[in-house]
């Protein structure tokens, strides 16, 4: 969608002037650029952005402006957009299963970094990708329990197979690397530590010195008032784990955050359609819209409620069941959300930190799903 024509000082200014009846996503480019710099300055390696988490053109353009030099892409459409908006940036094509037609597009667009997790897909790459200067990263998985999403359920070779693939990558003349994805919203550095340790073991087993280790995304964003993620501690933990596991064979590092890069730079404003019999709150956005991810990953309690005139509701918190606008009964936020007791019809509920997996997965189900993107200087 790109930047809006008017830049507002903050969400309340736009909401009071225009009284929108559809959900609004407020984007603060300054917040995104600050986050990008925090990653670039703090992470001990190359920082790329997982485009799927929020592919809005304004996001890509601001990340490029902040100095980001690489993007994790998964489809020809994402690659074409990156080439257009950030022509100099590296593209890491880390979707491990690709049609031959997609591989051909990537080769033509100059992709030099690929990820793979199977013999059949490695064979396709060896056949179609010129080896000179091209990196193939073997993606492996560890058995994980209790993660919100089990990323290993779809992608990732076992450690045995990873060692075999890595040896084949090196023998075919490609630059051998490794990658993994620890999950999402991981707040404990040990989530990365186990993978880094395993990566060193796989490289030893294959007898291959890897050029780079891509430690994936999964960095946490700030979702709950009471829990502030500590990215610095995670960066330090990753660096220390790599030193310990690889010693003198330390590979260069790459990371590919989505959520933690983009979440904080967007605030969603959803309007209260009804407070049904003083009980349930119905919003004009829900789990088929920008709040799609909440049932899987948990609610965001960083909310604020504004009256139509822009005044902040300050009533005591009362737990409410919150429904979205569609007629589907799963269109409900998980659990209950503490909202001010004086919340009323036509108020706006602001959800802070909602930039990831929101706009990207919004649907038109039941005729809803219209959303405006407005640019603001500050989100509070
Ligand atoms: C989705 C994805 C990411 C980004 O994950 P976040 O949890 O948003 O940081 C990074 N790498 C891969 C391979 C992914 O599929």
């Amino acid at each position: 969608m790109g930047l809006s024509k008017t830049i507002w000082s903050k969400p309340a200014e736009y909401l009071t002037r225009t009284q929108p009846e559809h959900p609004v996503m407020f984007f603060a480019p300054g917040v995104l650029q600050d986050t990008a710099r925090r990653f670039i300055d703090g992470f001990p390696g190359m920082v790329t952005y997982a485009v799927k988490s929020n592919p809005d053109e304004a996001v890509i353009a601001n990340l490029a402006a902040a100095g980001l030099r690489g993007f994790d892409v998964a489809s020809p459409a994402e690659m074409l957009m990156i080439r257009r908006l950030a022509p100099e940036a590296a593209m890491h094509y880390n979707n491990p299963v690709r049609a031959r037609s997609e591989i051909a597009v990537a080769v033509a667009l100059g992709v030099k970094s690929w990820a793979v997790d199977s013999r059949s897909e490695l064979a396709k790459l060896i056949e179609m990708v010129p080896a000179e200067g091209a990196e193939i990263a073997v993606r492996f998985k560890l058995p994980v329990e209790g993660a919100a999403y089990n990323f290993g359920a779809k992608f990732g070779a076992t450690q045995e197979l990873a060692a075999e693939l890595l040896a084949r990558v090196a023998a075919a003349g490609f630059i051998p690397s490794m990658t993994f994805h620890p999950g999402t919203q991981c707040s404990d550095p040990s989530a990365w530590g186990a993978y880094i340790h395993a990566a060193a073991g796989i490289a030893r087993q294959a007898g291959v010195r890897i050029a780079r280790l891509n430690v994936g995304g999964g960095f946490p964003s700030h979702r709950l008032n009471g829990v502030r993620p500590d990215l610095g501690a995670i960066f330090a933990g990753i660096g220390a784990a790599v030193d310990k596991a690889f010693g003198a064979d330390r590979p260069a590092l790459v990371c590919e955050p989505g959520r933690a890069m983009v979440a904080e730079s967007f605030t969603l404003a959803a309007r209260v359609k009804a407070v049904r019999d003083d009980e349930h709150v119905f919003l004009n956005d829900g789990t088929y819209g920008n709040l799609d991810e909440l049932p899987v990953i948990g609610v965001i309690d960083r909310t604020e409620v504004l009256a139509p005139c822009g005044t902040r509701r300050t009533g005591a918190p009362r737990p409410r069941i919150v429904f979205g606008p569609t007629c589907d009964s799963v269109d409900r936020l998980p659990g209950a959300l503490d909202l001010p007791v004086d919340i009323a019809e036509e108020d706006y509920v602001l959800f802070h930190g909602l930039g990831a997996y929101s706009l990207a997965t919004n649907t038109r189900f039941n005729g809803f799903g219209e959303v405006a993107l407005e640019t603001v200087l500050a989100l509070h």
Side-chain angles (χ1 to χ4, degrees), residues 285-304:
D285 203 350
T287 65
Y288 287 95
N290 294 294
L291 298 163
D292 158 81
E293 210 201 17
L294 271 54
V296 213
I297 197 171
V299 82
I300 284 193
D301 73 359
R302 293 176 60 211
T303 56
E304 251 182 285

Side-chain angles (χ1 to χ4, degrees), residues 27-37 58-59 62-63 66 261-262 265:
F27 172 47
V31 174
L32 180 63
Q33 294 212 20
D34 283 352
T35 311
R37 272 183 226 109
V59 170
N62 275 281
L63 288 173
M261 185 69 86
V262 75
S265 57

Side-chain angles (χ1 to χ4, degrees), residues 117-200:
D117 68 353
S118 63
R119 297 183 188 103
S120 62
E121 302 315 290
L122 176 57
K124 280 191 205 169
L125 293 185
I126 290 174
E127 188 187 317
M128 294 186 66
V129 179
E132 178 68 29
E135 166 186 62
I136 297 182
V138 174
R139 178 159 168 184
F140 70 98
K141 65 178 172 189
L142 295 179
V144 280
E145 281 156 32
Y149 288 150
N150 180 4
F151 275 85
K154 185 163 181 185
F155 294 129
T158 61
Q159 297 178 66
E160 277 291 299
L161 178 59
E164 178 194 321
L165 296 174
L166 192 62
R168 280 198 204 185
V169 166
F174 290 87
I175 298 165
S177 289
M178 287 175 80
T179 185
F180 61 84
H181 186 57
T184 196
Q185 191 67 20
C186 306
S187 36
D188 185 346
S190 69
W192 285 266
Y195 282 91
I196 290 166
H197 180 77

Side-chain angles (χ1 to χ4, degrees), residues 50 52-53 72 94 139 151 181 183-185 216-219 256-260 357:
K52 77 168 187 282
S53 59
D72 165 37
N94 287 345
R139 178 159 168 184
F151 275 85
H181 186 57
T184 196
Q185 191 67 20
F219 300 89
E256 47 190 20
R259 178 187 306 287
Y357 308 108

Side-chain angles (χ1 to χ4, degrees), residues 262-286:
V262 75
E264 195 60 24
S265 57
F266 283 79
T267 290
L268 168 71
R271 193 160 215 186
V272 177
K273 297 177 66 166
V275 184
R276 190 173 63 182
D277 287 345
D278 196 31
E279 277 277 334
H280 302 148
V281 172
F282 280 70
L283 298 179
N284 64 357
D285 203 350

Side-chain angles (χ1 to χ4, degrees), residues 296-374:
V296 213
I297 197 171
V299 82
I300 284 193
D301 73 359
R302 293 176 60 211
T303 56
E304 251 182 285
V305 178
L306 302 182
C309 64
T311 317
R312 192 174 169 170
R313 298 282 187 200
T314 53
R318 173 179 158 188
R320 301 272 193 173
I321 288 177
V322 178
F323 289 109
T326 73
C327 292
D328 190 335
S329 50
V330 307
D331 191 3
R332 179 198 152 162
L333 301 194
L337 190 60
D338 276 339
L339 293 169
V341 68
D342 50 342
I343 189 171
E345 190 178 319
E346 303 207 326
D347 282 0
Y348 292 101
V349 181
L350 275 55
F351 292 84
H352 295 295
L354 208 78
Y357 308 108
S358 47
L359 276 171
T361 49
N362 179 41
T363 77
R364 304 297 308 213
F365 182 49
N366 238 178
F368 298 101
E370 183 184 346
V371 54
L373 183 67
E374 295 294 332

